[in-house]
Amino acid sequence: MNADLFIPRSLDEALSVVQTHGAGLLVMGGGTMMMAHINEGIFFPQKVMSLARAGLSGVYRNGHTQIGATTHLTDVSQIADYPILAEAAFQIGGPAIRNMGTIGGNLYMPQPAGDLAVPLLAYDAHVELASASASRTISLEDFLAEPRSHRGVHELLVAVHLPDPTGYAAYLKLGRREANTPSVVAVGVRVVMDKQGQISDARLALGAVGSFAFRAKNAEAALIGQSLNTKSIADAAQIAMEESNPFTDALATAWYRRRMVGVFVKRTLEQLAK
Amino acid sequence: MSKLDITVNGQIHHLDVPESRTLAQVLRYDLGLTGTKIGCEEAECGICTVLVNGTPVNSCIFPAFKAQGREVETVEGLAHNGELHPIQQNFIEHGAVQCGFCTPGLMMTATALLNENPDPDDHAIKVALKDTYCRCTGYASVIAAIKSAASEMRGEGPLPVNEPDVSEPMHAISRSVPPQYVREKVTGAAKYTDDYFFEGMLFARTLRAAYPHARILSINTEKAKAFPGVVAVLTHADVPGDNLHGLVYRDWPVLCGDVVRYMGDAVAIVAAETEDIAAEALTLIEVEYEPLPVIGDPKFAHSPEAPVLHSKHPTGNLLKHIKVRHGDIEQGFAQADYIVEREYRTPTVEHAFLEPECSIGIPPGVAGHEKLTILVGSQIPYQDRNQIALAMGLPEEKVRVIGTLIGGGFGGKEDITGQIHVAMLAQATGRPVKMLYTRQESLIVHPKRHATIIRMKTGATKDGKLVAVEAELYGDGGAYASLSDKVMTRATTHATGPYVVPNAKIDCYAMYTNNPPSGAFRGFGVTQSAFAVESNMDILAEMIGIDPIEFRRINAQKVGTTTATGQVLRESVGLLETLRHVEHDMMPADGDFRWAWRDGHKAYAWGLACAYKNTGLGGGAPDRAEAEVEAFEDGSVEVRVASADMGQGLAHVVAQCTAEELKLPYHRVRVLLCDTDLTPNGGPTTASRQTFVSGNAARVTSALLREALTRSAAEFLDVPPETLYYEEGLLRHNGKSVELGTLVGWMKANGLSSKVRHEYHAPATQPLGTGGDMHFAFSYATQAALVEVDMETGAVKVLRIIAGTDIGRAINPLMLQGQVEGGIVMAMGNCLTESYIVENGVPWTNLLSRYKMPSIKHAPEIISHLIEDRVSTGPYGAKGVGEICSINTSPAICNAIYHATGVRIFSLPVDQDALLRAIRAGQTEVYTAWHDVR
Ligand SMILES: Cc1cc2nc3c(=O)[nH]c(=O)nc-3n(C[C@H](O)[C@H](O)[C@H](O)COP(=O)(O)OP(=O)(O)OC[C@H]3O[C@@H](n4cnc5c(N)ncnc54)[C@H](O)[C@@H]3O)c2cc1C
Ligand code: FES
Ligand code: FES
């Protein structure tokens, strides 16, 4: 790498670097994707800013949970209050990757990577974004759906916010093999049951089967008022398949991805039924 | 530049380094701690793992500034005061070190794991190491080593080593002695080519072709030459000698001048003060091309519409037509009650050795070298020298090739890569020049395993006797000949499988295309044909209604039977023994064996396949190796051969043979490999020949030295020579004895030499088509695979492999077991995940992350039996092992998938997507492979 390197020591400093250098600047979280691409000769950046020292890492609790953008995946994998977020983080890479990769970087990864969005959608996460002039907090759902061009080049992801979790959750990821593998599909579900054992609230998030991770809202709606049984599970799986918009890449065909949505929605819900 | 203060292995360093440095670069190039290896720079292979403040990171993508003020631990810090860390010790004891290139990364990842979890089970180890690859060991020994180290660190002592049973251990033979250089490999002291540095050394890069097939209209290097820091830019016009190289046919340009034939072709080379400058300079070279039509597959290459790639080749794009004719094919099929005819496809497969290619050229008169000297981790140093000398227009004596340690080869380091380029640049600049390939470059440039299309027709009678095999093979030879001729010959001659087939007609067409060249790869073509042979065997067995094991037993080669090339097998045919052992282990304790069963959406099944593989070059090629053995006054002995040890363990085999002949303690034998000035010619490390040929060379030469020593000792002790015997470094006669070292001193004083040099000639072989002995030995194998197929996803998991491998004699049982385990896991990749994808000549697989080889998470349970059916001409009865363990795994797995699902796989690697489609549609055949998805 032959580039100018900026290592801001605070968020403000980082934002002013972004302001000054704008589009020509590559922002680096943990660099697990970026550095690899630079080494591979895919990127030839002239200017790089590392967020490693900008004071953006850490998990805080005050009414809700806040996870700083540069919190490492290793630390995310230890957040016991959000078990499927922890699980999804643990399944990414090996220990070395998790010690470098960040939650913020993960949310910028194009599909089929970016696994953390799936459990985060299931937990109703919001993301906090900032630029030198303003900051905004929006739902993760909106953030993911925002066209890339729409996201200001002058904006950084600062933190992820999570309400206290309710209900039960499950997460499963299918990879083409067991190690170092992007998802063929990732499924995160969370359901809240009422006293009668009927679902009063449901989140069903899907990754790697669309241009971004999303909530299968029709399947969620179908679950409301149901108990978890063979039929309700099969119905939700079927609807989720119809709702997904999978693509073909080197890992799997769209046909296969859609089938796997069905299988893995079924399997996550079956886990919850147990 | 910026200040960097880091503590490495307890020592504080204050450095001034460019901001852009990665931690791996700082460790290796600024601090000289070359124990940390770089395999990909993509965060994919994990071998660069070091600890920062106790946690593992991939140092290849870890920006150095992030280590500011931190503590870094590397492999060099594991041992204390010369005493090995339990992890290092156990990696040695359990045979977890082969080429050693991955070893530092595996050990550092393991260190971090054991810091957190002092008692990890297999699962915890697999989860922690899943991103740290080893291409050699197959991981079983790695898991054993880590568990044993953990036990030792808990104060419970090391765990026993899982050593295979072998018969008749001798003094040093059939003993699991540690491999040579293993201590250096676990401490980080072992030097691979990129670990060498010389005063004033320049760094070189190569400009590759921009098209898979194009005419070069012009090359302009002016701007690159003018770029500050660039010392030389050379093109085809600067090649001093012959601008062609090649191992069999000389058809491969050193630097292309008129036309490029694949994306890895070299067009220009640059030497500069730094790697970054050299890389930048490449972008300044202007080349004008006129793109030409591309040949993307071997069948098209054979058609009249295809452009001719090598106008001088007498048979056009047909690189070689190889024929086997045996008996009368029409008569044969006329006798058949059952005939099956199917087409199989296998993909291009990449070696993915973890050490990318590296060469260093040193001009004469520099760094103490009198000649033009090339340092390279090559499998064939003498052939390198020959090809370098021709291209440089120099006599061979003016060139020296020094082989360094090799971080894995598997056949992929036989052809010339950067050797000639660094020779040219060193000559042109008068300075040492290093050329290290990036992983991406390595993937594009070096020859691979041939993709094949195999149509196989097999006939048998209703009582299960094979009567005829007719086959047609197309092999994608790629842009240059490399070893296609030899490899595809092996695929052809082994296309009947290890069976008695009275009538055979086999035709193989090795074709030139615009894909990367294909060459040697563990299995040498037999991997591909075995997939077709053994699948057809199972299909036939089912048609006939006979058990697949019984069917193989009926037709198995035995002593006295004849191969399809007309060779009568006179000894050492252990196939039935391998089959017996494997069958025995497949049987459950209650004797109620089932090929397949279901549990919910999981289907389980066994599959079985057999294989054989020649040892040695064969086919009439003179196969010889020279060895030199010298005894010293300190009582040690050095044995020198020019054969390469790419990790498979040739060095210890040679040392064991010498220790055996002289009844010396093993640690007193040193081995010097691969230096064309110091070691005699050992021939290529290929074709599973090294144990046999170089082992024999060491054995015979050591025996000659023994005779010389005995004569002298008889004189020294004044006793008859017949009464002398050797014991632990002493020469004894009842009552009297002399130390070997003392004897050597006496010999020197009396003007006698304690050095013997001898050339060993392997038994003669006959060319294909003559009906004589094409090979002097064959190794045999049976493997059974237990697989689990998820019927809802199509995912295939290999749970267990039972392997019976007839290798004649296990010279080093533990290391041999490591070869078997490594071969099996590599073959699993070949079957399930690995495919090097090229689209109309353009490699898609240009990143390691796009090449999916098995990680520790895929390692199945392996039960390995070593069968020792001695071959009289082998060293102590040994024959080749490197390849035989890697050949029948794929068909065994595919046969198991068939038993589990009813779907037969005709194209590798297995595509779970297509498998699921077939399962759901009720189809029984899959003709697409994973890469066809795209
Ligand atoms: C071997 C290996 C295995 C992997 N396995 C998986 C996997 O299983 N699942 C998965 O999801 N990913 C996987 N990854 C991808 C990646 O490592 C992770 O997604 C990681 O979390 C990315 O985070 P990072 O901080 O390293 O990203 P970086 O490489 O630093 O950045 C990624 C992108 O995010 C942007 N960015 C980073 N932080 C910010 C911020 N705060 N504000 C604005 N933009 C920002 C960068 O500009 C860049 O475009 C793997 C990678 C490797 C090398
Ligand atoms: S992961 Fe760093 S060199 Fe491969
Ligand atoms: S020993 Fe692991 S890669 Fe060679």
Side-chain angles (χ1 to χ4, degrees), chain A residues 1 7 39-40 50 53 91 93-97 99-100 176-180 250 253 256 260 266-267, chain B residues 20 41-42 44 56 58 60 66 128 130-131 133 601 790 792-793 844 853 855 858 911-913 917 930:
Chain A
M1 172 171 70
I7 313 168
N39 287 343
E40 287 158 357
S50 165
R53 296 287 156 90
Q91 284 192 28
I97 295 294
N99 285 329
M100 293 185 281
R176 199 54 195 256
R177 50 170 201 170
E178 285 189 54
N180 272 15
T253 57
Y256 187 70
M260 291 307 102
K266 177 178 76 105
R267 290 186 183 178
Chain B
S20 58
E41 300 197 288
E42 290 179 25
E44 183 71 15
N58 296 120
C60 73
K66 279 174 66 176
K130 73 178 172 131
D131 276 6
Y133 287 107
H601 61 267
D790 185 326
E792 290 180 348
T793 65
W844 180 79
M853 51 185 168
S855 83
H858 302 82
D911 181 23
Q912 68 192 51
D913 190 319
R917 236 180 260 233
W930 182 348

Side-chain angles (χ1 to χ4, degrees), chain B residues 188-236:
Chain B
K191 282 195 167 190
Y192 303 81
T193 313
D194 187 41
D195 301 336
Y196 288 87
F197 296 91
F198 296 92
E199 186 74 29
M201 191 167 78
L202 298 170
F203 298 87
R205 292 293 303 268
T206 309
L207 182 70
R208 303 286 165 193
Y211 298 90
H213 192 202
R215 204 180 316 285
I216 297 177
L217 302 177
S218 70
I219 306 173
N220 184 343
T221 59
E222 290 315 310
K223 284 186 196 150
K225 280 183 175 154
F227 193 69
V230 171
V231 183
V233 183
L234 305 180
T235 65
H236 63 100

Side-chain angles (χ1 to χ4, degrees), chain B residues 96-103 106 133-137 354:
Chain B
V97 184
Q98 289 189 26
C99 80
F101 205 72
C102 69
T103 308
L106 285 173
Y133 287 107
C134 171
R135 193 65 162 158
C136 301
T137 63
L354 287 179

Side-chain angles (χ1 to χ4, degrees), chain A residues 1-3 5 7 28-33 35-36 39-40 42 50 52-53 72 78 90-100 174-182 184 248-257 259-260 263-264 266-267, chain B residues 19-20 22 41-44 49 55-58 60-63 65-68 70 109 127-128 130-131 133 276 280 440 601 790 792-795 797 833 844 847 849 851-855 857-858 910-913 916-917 920 930 933-934:
Chain A
M1 172 171 70
N2 242 336
L5 187 66
I7 313 168
M28 192 158 86
T32 53
M33 187 275 279
M35 281 293 287
N39 287 343
E40 287 158 357
I42 293 174
S50 165
R53 296 287 156 90
H72 288 145
Q78 285 156 5
F90 186 74
Q91 284 192 28
I92 294 177
I97 295 294
R98 295 196 297 275
N99 285 329
M100 293 185 281
L174 172 69
R176 199 54 195 256
R177 50 170 201 170
E178 285 189 54
N180 272 15
T181 189
V184 169
T248 293
D249 65 1
L251 296 166
T253 57
W255 178 91
Y256 187 70
R257 282 200 152 92
R259 294 294 159 309
M260 291 307 102
V263 173
F264 283 81
K266 177 178 76 105
R267 290 186 183 178
Chain B
E19 282 86 355
S20 58
T22 62
E41 300 197 288
E42 290 179 25
E44 183 71 15
T49 302
T55 60
V57 301
N58 296 120
C60 73
I61 58 154
F62 193 83
F65 74 83
K66 279 174 66 176
Q68 166 67 30
R70 306 260 162 102
T109 315
V127 168
K130 73 178 172 131
D131 276 6
Y133 287 107
D276 283 343
E280 182 94 38
Q440 297 75 41
H601 61 267
D790 185 326
E792 290 180 348
T793 65
K797 200 163 156 181
T833 52
W844 180 79
L847 303 173
S849 56
Y851 193 72
K852 300 298 185 189
M853 51 185 168
S855 83
K857 273 219 142 187
H858 302 82
V910 177
D911 181 23
Q912 68 192 51
D913 190 319
L916 182 73
R917 236 180 260 233
R920 291 177 63 108
W930 182 348
V933 166
R934 305 189 62 251

